[in-house]
Amino acid sequence: MGIREYHLYRAKFIKPAQLTLLGENKSSMDLFLDSIHDKPEYTLATGSEWHLGNVNMFDRYSGSFAVGRTTKTTVERFDKETGDFIDELDDSGPYTVVVFDAKIGLLGIAKKSKLAPNASSIARRIKDLLATTKTAIDSAIDVRVDIIPDPEDFLDKLRGAYSIRKFRATFTGPNPIDADELFQKPLSVYAQNMGASSGVLEVVGDGLNEEVAESVAKSTAATGNTASARIIPSHGKKAKNIKMKGDAVVVSVDDEASSSDVLEQMQAEYMRVRG
């Protein structure tokens, strides 16, 4: 029995401050669902075509879809009639499965080396596919597919620090419905009103509040954003910079696990990160 790895990402549909003439005032969840049901496709300069299809809904807001590419490839065959080996052009279509929770834009991308060297490469293609949909274009949506980093190592260093001297976190325009009330939510509204898709806030002090920094770090990771800090590790030591590493949270499941089992584990890991 093998193991499959699902890497967690956050899909965000960031709406402009003013609706376009063609745009409808839809929720991020509806924009997400409409986009995947559009079954987008696009062609790279290299000639390979990427496609999103096989949409399978578990309920009104969660399910799975396939993402992959088609390319012309040379297949070596034996021709029984001539008794010779020959090269034939054929279509190759490696793909992988993505499990999602559209309510929060949570994606679990199954790693597949035959398709791409890592999950982040697949995430970039998903972003490009979603951005080409009629839904995204008509509504002038800024589509982002960001990694959900595991914040535990960063949080351990924050908790163990003698003092926190600087804290910095990124934010994006409105989308995450579970953004914290203190930081992500008000700043996302600020970004939208400024016509910005993302931003960064940095605060400096002799001893910043550890509990607030921890809460913001959890929310920042869960919403697919990043954080860093400058800390004094212990009394008398020099200040050092720490940052939330870029590795995605990974859910590992048996090959035979159902997609709904994968979703349950994804949601549990997401809640752990969110705290």
Side-chain angles (χ1 to χ4, degrees):
M1 190 188 294
I3 296 291
R4 271 180 298 158
E5 283 186 0
Y6 287 82
H7 295 239
L8 300 197
Y9 282 76
R10 192 82 187 245
K12 291 179 270 191
F13 290 73
I14 300 166
K15 292 178 267 193
Q18 285 188 305
L19 280 176
T20 62
L21 289 173
L22 293 171
E24 296 177 58
N25 192 17
K26 293 181 177 178
S27 68
S28 294
M29 181 180 88
D30 287 333
L31 288 168
F32 179 96
L33 292 173
D34 287 351
S35 293
I36 62 172
H37 281 104
D38 280 351
K39 293 190 174 179
E41 55 185 49
Y42 79 106
T43 307
L44 294 179
T46 56
S48 63
E49 295 178 355
W50 281 78
H51 306 265
L52 189 157
N54 299 62
V55 180
N56 172 36
M57 300 298 296
F58 306 157
D59 52 35
R60 199 173 78 79
Y61 58 84
S62 66
S64 66
F65 60 83
V67 63
R69 60 179 161 78
T70 54
T71 47
K72 290 290 183 190
T73 185
T74 303
V75 180
E76 297 170 329
R77 298 193 190 280
F78 180 71
D79 188 331
K80 285 185 177 178
E81 286 184 15
T82 63
D84 295 328
F85 289 96
I86 56 171
D87 291 338
E88 277 187 356
L89 270 181
D90 200 359
D91 283 321
S92 164
Y95 70 93
T96 194
V97 173
V98 180
V99 177
F100 65 85
D101 177 346
K103 269 197 305 191
I104 52 176
L106 179 64
L107 303 180
I109 302 173
K111 187 180 172 187
K112 193 170 195 179
S113 54
K114 192 178 175 185
L115 178 63
N118 48 48
S120 60
S121 299
I122 301 169
R124 281 197 298 275
R125 299 300 171 221
I126 294 171
K127 172 192 176 296
D128 292 339
L129 283 162
L130 295 175
T132 64
T133 61
K134 186 176 185 297
T135 300
I137 293 165
D138 285 353
S139 302
I141 297 298
D142 180 35
V143 179
R144 296 178 64 118
V145 177
D146 293 326
I147 196 167
I148 296 181
D150 195 324
E152 279 309 313
D153 183 57
F154 181 74
L155 292 173
D156 286 345
K157 287 172 182 169
L158 276 185
R159 292 173 189 135
Y162 175 70
S163 67
I164 304 168
R165 296 297 174 90
K166 186 190 288 184
F167 187 86
R168 177 185 173 99
T170 62
F171 56 91
T172 49
N175 168 263
I177 59 166
D178 58 340
D180 68 285
E181 298 289 339
L182 182 70
F183 181 79
Q184 294 285 344
K185 197 167 280 185
L187 284 173
S188 69
V189 174
Y190 166 67
Q192 184 183 46
N193 288 330
M194 283 291 282
S197 58
S198 61
V200 60
L201 181 73
E202 182 176 286
V203 290
V204 180
D206 288 336
L208 301 178
N209 186 305
E210 180 197 306
E211 285 183 8
V212 174
E214 183 177 330
S215 172
V216 171
K218 287 176 179 176
S219 173
T220 296
T223 51
N225 289 297
T226 59
S228 60
R230 188 163 178 81
I231 61 169
I232 306 287
S234 54
H235 185 55
K237 289 283 178 74
K238 281 185 180 177
K240 65 182 246 184
N241 295 321
I242 59 170
K243 66 178 182 179
M244 217 182 276
K245 292 289 193 294
D247 293 331
V249 173
V250 176
V251 169
S252 297
V253 297
D254 293 335
D255 272 336
E256 287 156 28
S258 68
S259 293
S260 51
D261 286 341
V262 173
L263 178 65
E264 265 184 47
Q265 290 195 46
M266 282 168 49
Q267 289 167 330
E269 275 299 285
Y270 173 79
M271 292 309 293
R272 175 186 68 80
V273 171
R274 185 68 184 83

